[in-house]
Structure formats: structure tokens, C-alpha cells
Amino acid sequence: MTTGKPAGQAIRKNVPLHGFNSFRVPATAACLAQPRTTDELQAVLDQAVHCPGPLRVIGGGTNLLIVDDLPGLLLQPALEGIKWLGRAGEGWLLRVGAGICWHELVCHCVARNRPGLENLALIPGTVGAAPVQNIGAYGSQFSDVCDSVEAVDLNTGKSCSLSAADCRFGYRDSRFRQEPGRWVITSVTLRLPDHFAPRLDYPGLIQALGSRATAADLSPAEVADAVIRVRQSKLPGLGPDEPGSAGSFFKNPVVALTQVEALQARWPKLPCHPLADGSHGKLSAGWMIDALGYKGFRVGDAGVYARHALVLVNHGQATGRELLALAREIQNAVQAEFGVWLEPEPLIWPEPV
Ligand code: FAD
Ligand code: NAP
């Protein structure tokens, strides 16, 4: 029986990418493959020589800005499966295929009353991408629950398992981001805690939970529901009626506390969250962009989301280059006014030279 779908090791040519990126910008991939198993992945890698140019890995395309056609091979791992491996010490281990939708995994866990992922509800994209920028929200991040990451090392062609320490996780960072083109993540192994210790540091989340925030019987599902409500009220969804986006376009800059003092002397309301090292603080990029009047700003179909200044949006027909030009304008304006350079969070493809 045939399913009508191309086999996972098949390489398709000249594939339009409009439906492969949440900005919904037009571009074409010279070659695209969607392996569903490690054997199919190996078969694709064996044929990659027929796709001249770089090999890139894409998940849901929700953290990318594609500004031009992509030569080479675009690989979208479609490995499935959520497997509970059993108890380990005071927690539970589970292995999850790279192609699983991250939010589906969160729902799977909270439905079983397993804590650990609730603050990360509704983050778009795949499980395989979660370690890449060490996804985070509301004070939790992927590294909090990472036991190991299974990946193919394209330098050697071999599969390996990287411990959480090997992954060199940082704030929205990991070795996978630092070594682009080296790794194809095939699955992740999570270690979820036995006991629920709610993380409720963010005022927006506490407000959404109301009196339940301090309830002794608060559940992971309630926290996930509150996270979903807050996110839906502030962020564009991925549906066709919503503007295209990649979530936050800029990282919150981390600067020395001495610089924070100088900045806050001029802008007393500029929010800053001190880091544990005692010498740096995390500034709010969104506040600076908003202070410059960019919220809701628009050049053609490229714009800044009216409900969230950190989010760049495609109102319809914007190209990747137009969105990049708007991002550059904002970076320059923030640099000129605050003396701080905002780093983009999404990957820009093809990589700027
Ligand atoms: P892609 O965008 O396809 O790829 C991102 C990077 O990961 C690329 O470098 C790609 O090469 C690499 N990659 C993807 N899959 C693999 C793999 N299997 N092996 C190796 N490398 C791989 N992010 C947050 O951290 N917190 C948030 O709260 C958040 N909110 C968002 C809200 C919205 C509305 C949107 C659109 C985005 C948001 N994001 C957030 C960004 C995005 O959801 C995450 O970065 C997510 O992990 C990207 O997943 P993806 O599968 O779409 O990855
Ligand atoms: P928010 O709750 O309005 O907070 C604004 C900013 O202040 C956030 O960027 C957050 O930093 C920081 N912050 C707030 N309370 C903090 C605390 N107690 N300790 C340390 N930092 C604190 O933010 P929001 O924009 O609505 O987003 C809510 C969460 O979802 C945030 O964690 C954000 O990172 C995440 N998110 C991420 C994306 C993305 O694409 N990456 C998109 C939407 C939302 P952090 O950003 O470092 O947490």
C-alpha cells in the first residue's frame, strides 16, 4: 500500500519554502528531504553529494528569516515517537523524536500530570530545534530538563549522544547554534522532576493565575493553561489570518551593571534583570524598541507587531530582505539612542557574509 507521500529518503528539487517558515516569506530550496527514521536520514546523507552547497537543517521554520533562495540540501528531520524510559533517581526519563511538535510534547506531559515543561507551553516548532537555542519562557528553559541530545555529527557521519554539559547551553544559546552545519539532532532525552515546584517569577504569569498562583494544589496543567492564555493575548499565532513572525526578533542584551547604571540615569524606567554573576544585567530589548516609537510601525508589509515591540511581522507580502532591512533600521536606532547593539534571535539564511 502506498501513502501518497514521498519516501523519507527522497530528495525533492526546487521546493517552495513559503509553507516551511512562519514569516511566510517566499524562497526556494534547491533540494529538500524529510527523513522519518535514522536509516532514512543516513540514506539522505549518502546522497547529499548530489546537492551542491551547504546542508542546513530545518524544523518548523519558526526561528528563521529566509532572505534568499537556499542552495544545497535542506533537511527536515521527521523522526517521531515519545517513549517513556522509566524512573531515574528522583525523575522520569523520556526520549522524544526530533520531528515531534514541541507543544504536543508539553500537552502529552501535563496531561499525565508530569511537571517540568508547563512554562514552555505553546512555543512553536519541533523538539529537535529546542536544544538549538535552548528555548525558554517564563523563567524555564530546555536545559532545565535536558538529560542528553542524540545527534548525527556531520564531521564524522556518526550518531552520538551529547550530555547536557556537552551541549554547552547558555541563554538562548548552545553548541548547536555555535557550530552551525555540524549537527543533525535526531531525538532528545528529557529528565522530568518527580515533584512539581511551580516557577512563577514572571508578573504576567502570576497575574494570569490569579488566586490559584498560591494554591497548594496548583497543577502543571493549570500553569500551562495560564501560559497559553498570556501568550495568546500578546503574540501572533501561526494561523493564516495572523501576520507571519518568528516570535521575538531580538535577544535581550546582557550588559555590565555599570552600563545599566548609566543607562538608567537617563531612562529610569528601563527594565533590567540582574544576572546571578552579580556583575551583569539583562536589559529589555522590547522596552527600548517601544521607547523609540516602533511598536506598530510598518514599512510596506514589514512591521513591528502592535501588541509586542520585540516581534517583527509580515503583514502579507513582505520579503525576507524587507524584514531584514527593518531589523537593521531598529538595530541602528537602538544603538544610536542607547549605545546597545541588539542581536537577532532567528537565524538569517543564507548566512550573511
Ligand atoms: P527552525 O526555525 O526550523 O530552526 C531553528 C534553528 O534550529 C536552525 O538553526 C536550524 O538549523 C536548527 N534546527 C532545527 N531542527 C534541528 C535539528 N533536528 N537538528 C539540528 N538543528 C536543527 N523561542 C523561545 O525560546 N521561547 C519562546 O517563548 C518562543 N516563542 C515564540 C513565539 C512565536 C509566535 C514564534 C513564531 C517563535 C517563538 N520562539 C520562541 C522561537 C521558536 O519557536 C523556537 O526557536 C523553536 O525552537 C524553533 O523551532 P523550529 O522547529 O521551528 O526550528
Ligand atoms: P514579559 O513577561 O513581558 O517580560 C518582559 C521581559 O522581561 C522578558 O523578555 C523577560 O526576559 C524579562 N523578565 C520578566 N520577568 C522576569 C524575571 N522575573 N526574571 C528575569 N527576567 C524577567 O515577556 P513576554 O515578552 O511576554 O514573554 C514572556 C516569556 O516568553 C519570556 O520568557 C520570553 O522570553 C518568552 N517569549 C519568547 C519569545 C521568543 O521568540 N524567543 C517570544 C515570545 C515570548 P526573558 O525573555 O529572558 O525571559
Side-chain angles (χ1 to χ4, degrees):
M1 193 182 84
T2 60
T3 60
K5 288 185 184 168
Q9 74 270 27
I11 295 183
R12 292 152 63 198
K13 300 279 172 115
N14 298 320
V15 181
L17 293 177
H18 183 265
F20 283 82
N21 74 98
S22 57
F23 262 127
R24 298 199 291 274
V25 293
T28 301
C31 300
L32 177 99
Q34 296 163 299
R36 296 164 302 192
T37 63
T38 46
D39 286 347
E40 288 186 351
L41 172 60
Q42 202 50 59
V44 171
L45 295 177
D46 291 344
Q47 299 171 67
V49 51
H50 301 299
C51 302
L55 188 157
R56 295 186 179 85
V57 188
I58 191 169
T62 65
N63 207 28
L64 299 174
L65 177 59
I66 306 177
V67 297
D68 215 337
D69 292 341
L70 301 178
L73 174 61
L74 191 57
L75 196 65
Q76 186 179 51
L79 292 92
E80 297 281 326
I82 300 180
K83 187 170 180 199
W84 289 88
L85 303 177
R87 288 184 67 88
E90 298 212 335
W92 292 83
L93 289 179
L94 73 162
R95 181 160 301 148
V96 191
I100 295 279
C101 160
W102 175 264
H103 182 62
E104 184 188 321
L105 170 65
V106 175
C107 294
H108 175 95
C109 293
V110 295
R112 285 158 183 76
N113 206 26
R114 287 270 158 256
L117 302 184
E118 55 283 347
N119 288 29
L120 304 176
L122 214 62
I123 297 182
T126 57
V127 165
V132 177
Q133 79 149 355
N134 187 18
I135 55 169
Y138 298 102
S140 292
Q141 50 189 354
F142 175 81
S143 53
D144 299 339
V145 291
C146 178
D147 181 78
S148 58
V149 172
E150 296 73 42
V152 175
D153 180 351
L154 295 176
N155 284 356
T156 62
K158 295 212 163 71
S159 295
C160 55
S161 173
L162 294 101
S163 68
D166 287 340
C167 295
R168 301 201 297 254
F169 290 118
Y171 174 62
R172 306 291 190 267
D173 196 24
S174 73
R175 79 179 294 175
F176 307 109
R177 247 191 106 116
Q178 294 155 12
E179 299 174 345
R182 177 165 177 187
W183 303 98
V184 183
I185 295 168
T186 50
S187 63
V188 304
T189 304
L190 303 183
R191 182 184 289 267
L192 299 184
D194 232 352
H195 300 292
F196 180 36
R199 267 189 126 138
L200 305 177
D201 306 323
Y202 281 50
L205 184 51
I206 299 170
Q207 206 182 338
L209 281 164
S211 60
R212 293 296 297 158
T214 49
D217 61 346
L218 182 70
S219 69
E222 279 178 284
V223 174
D225 282 348
V227 168
I228 290 168
R229 274 185 276 120
V230 184
R231 292 181 69 101
Q232 286 176 334
S233 71
K234 292 174 101 171
L235 294 167
L238 299 183
D241 298 334
E242 307 264 2
S245 90
S248 303
F249 197 89
F250 299 105
K251 296 185 194 182
N252 285 326
V254 171
V255 300
L257 285 179
T258 46
Q259 191 179 351
V260 174
E261 268 174 41
L263 284 165
Q264 286 182 333
R266 256 187 94 189
W267 294 277
K269 290 190 176 160
L270 171 60
C272 175
H273 293 277
L275 300 193
D277 70 0
S279 56
H280 290 83
K282 183 180 68 178
L283 295 174
S284 168
W287 189 93
M288 292 188 273
I289 296 167
D290 195 8
L292 292 173
Y294 275 106
K295 212 187 219 178
F297 178 75
R298 185 168 172 167
V299 186
D301 273 349
V304 179
Y305 196 47
R307 280 188 263 158
H308 201 307
L310 256 192
V311 178
L312 297 195
V313 285
N314 178 4
H315 289 288
Q317 304 302 318
T319 63
R321 284 185 184 280
E322 287 165 345
L323 285 155
L324 187 60
L326 175 59
R328 294 278 180 259
E329 178 182 331
I330 292 170
Q331 283 172 309
N332 288 329
V334 169
Q335 171 77 56
E337 187 67 18
F338 296 95
V340 174
W341 185 249
L342 297 183
E343 292 294 340
E345 186 184 283
L347 280 290
I348 293 161
W349 283 355
E351 298 71 8
V353 278

